Amino acid sequence: MDEKGVCRLSGLEIRELECFMALADELHFGRAGERLYVSQSRVSQLLRNLERRIGTQLVERSSRRVRLTPAGERFLAELRPAYEVLSATVDAARESARGVTGRLRIGFQGTADARLMGAITGFQERHPGCVTEIVEVPFADPFGAVRHGDVDTAIVLLPVEEPDLVLGPLFSRQQQTVAVSVRHPFAGRASLRADELTGTPLISATAPAPAYWRAAQAPSPAPAPQVRTLQEGLTLVAAGRGAMLLCRPTAEYHGRSDVTFVPVEGVPDSVLGMVWRRDGETERVREFARAVGAVV
């Protein structure tokens, strides 16, 4: 900041850069001014100052249209991501300085078990100024709510191989059980081996859940129905249309009289992980990740 409180980078004023980006979006001096709450003449002045500092024309304008010059297009392509990084850095510093406040929307898949609730409680005790909201994530769309901005972070079943998402702390490693109808031959068993499931139709999720994620939840080649929700899956299990792999806490939470749950030996444990958008990391998300890590 200079003595007038104006942020400068190598002689450039941030306001000049913001003006140029607004003009590049609007291609109209009046609309750019309205967007920045300044006059049209002020937009022209800021643009002239920027072009003088850089040493080239960035915008062509005539009585009929406004457009970027080739130099302006190159400058915009390099400026915008750098500006977004700078803005995010300033926002993070401001948020850190005033403490974690606002609202944190947390998605969960399956069951909000004791460990997740413990993490939420710990987070709220440490940051009483931040309100938490808990939202169930659809079984067949583990990553959609995070991607669409419906939640800030989500606790989902592994695996996670999404390049646009960050996988944070892992927790709640649990033995798998297989849900079967009370009339199924497995219903009276104390436990099963993984190889005994080879010919058993395992109900899986529909798209948009990625194929690799669906295969991990139903590792059986036998044809089986696909469902959108856990309740749909358990209803088909009760009807004898297939079986379904679930971790023990989810099995206990969704218990019903016409379905029984049998532990399975030799299959990978069910593991939950915290995910968030790579471009959506905030101090609230980082602090909640620490709270999750504390309960692991």
Side-chain angles (χ1 to χ4, degrees):
M1 296 281 185
D2 64 10
E3 66 276 6
K4 296 180 181 180
V6 177
C7 184
R8 301 177 185 273
L9 295 173
S10 301
L12 296 179
E13 291 188 3
I14 291 294
R15 196 60 168 168
E16 294 172 1
L17 302 178
E18 292 174 338
C19 173
F20 171 70
M21 288 188 291
L23 189 56
D25 290 341
E26 301 292 344
L27 295 179
H28 189 280
F29 280 75
R31 289 196 297 270
E34 292 174 0
R35 180 165 157 180
L36 297 174
Y37 302 100
V38 299
S39 66
Q40 183 171 327
S41 61
R42 179 58 174 160
V43 173
S44 298
Q45 180 187 21
L46 290 168
L47 176 63
R48 286 196 302 271
N49 292 345
L50 179 61
E51 290 177 327
R52 186 168 57 251
R53 294 177 193 279
I54 293 177
T56 190
Q57 185 179 6
L58 301 174
V59 177
E60 291 179 352
R61 60 174 166 171
S62 66
S63 59
R64 302 184 62 181
R65 67 175 181 175
V66 175
R67 67 179 182 180
L68 299 184
T69 65
E73 291 177 351
R74 290 193 299 271
F75 182 57
L76 178 66
E78 296 178 356
L79 170 63
R80 199 179 293 279
Y83 179 84
E84 290 173 354
V85 170
L86 176 62
S87 296
T89 301
V90 173
D91 289 343
R94 183 185 297 115
E95 193 172 73
S96 178
R98 70 188 182 198
V100 176
T101 59
R103 179 180 61 162
L104 180 69
R105 297 163 301 170
I106 305 163
F108 71 93
Q109 189 180 35
T111 304
D113 65 9
R115 287 191 176 186
L116 173 56
M117 297 311 299
I120 292 173
T121 299
F123 174 84
Q124 290 179 325
E125 289 175 349
R126 185 170 180 179
H127 305 290
C130 185
V131 177
T132 56
E133 295 181 3
I134 309 172
V135 180
E136 186 173 4
V137 173
F139 176 64
D141 193 9
F143 311 123
V146 176
R147 282 204 172 106
H148 301 150
D150 298 327
V151 297
D152 302 300
T153 183
I155 307 298
V156 298
L157 283 165
L158 267 57
V160 176
E161 300 174 6
E162 308 302 296
D164 59 327
L165 301 182
V166 176
L167 176 59
L170 309 182
F171 72 112
S172 197
R173 184 178 297 274
Q174 300 284 344
Q175 182 186 23
Q176 298 267 38
T177 69
V178 64
V180 294
S181 164
V182 292
R183 301 181 301 278
H184 194 279
F186 291 158
R189 298 280 297 274
S191 65
L192 294 170
R193 300 186 312 274
D195 61 286
E196 294 181 90
L197 294 178
T198 302
T200 301
L202 292 178
I203 296 168
S204 63
T206 65
Y212 74 84
W213 188 90
R214 285 181 273 146
Q217 313 311 321
S220 171
Q226 294 184 334
V227 297
R228 293 170 298 173
T229 68
L230 284 175
Q231 288 301 329
E232 286 179 9
L234 289 172
T235 299
L236 291 179
V237 167
R241 298 281 301 279
M244 198 171 187
L245 280 177
L246 297 173
C247 69
R248 185 177 294 277
T250 299
E252 293 173 351
Y253 181 81
H254 292 280
R256 45 190 292 172
S257 60
D258 50 1
V259 174
T260 190
F261 300 92
V262 184
V264 182
E265 307 288 344
V267 296
D269 288 345
S270 170
V271 183
L272 295 174
M274 177 181 168
V275 298
W276 60 89
R277 290 197 324 275
R278 196 169 296 278
D279 63 353
E281 184 170 316
T282 65
E283 188 64 19
R284 289 186 291 272
V285 170
R286 286 190 288 269
E287 281 297 303
F288 185 64
R290 295 185 185 101
V292 172
V295 304
V296 175

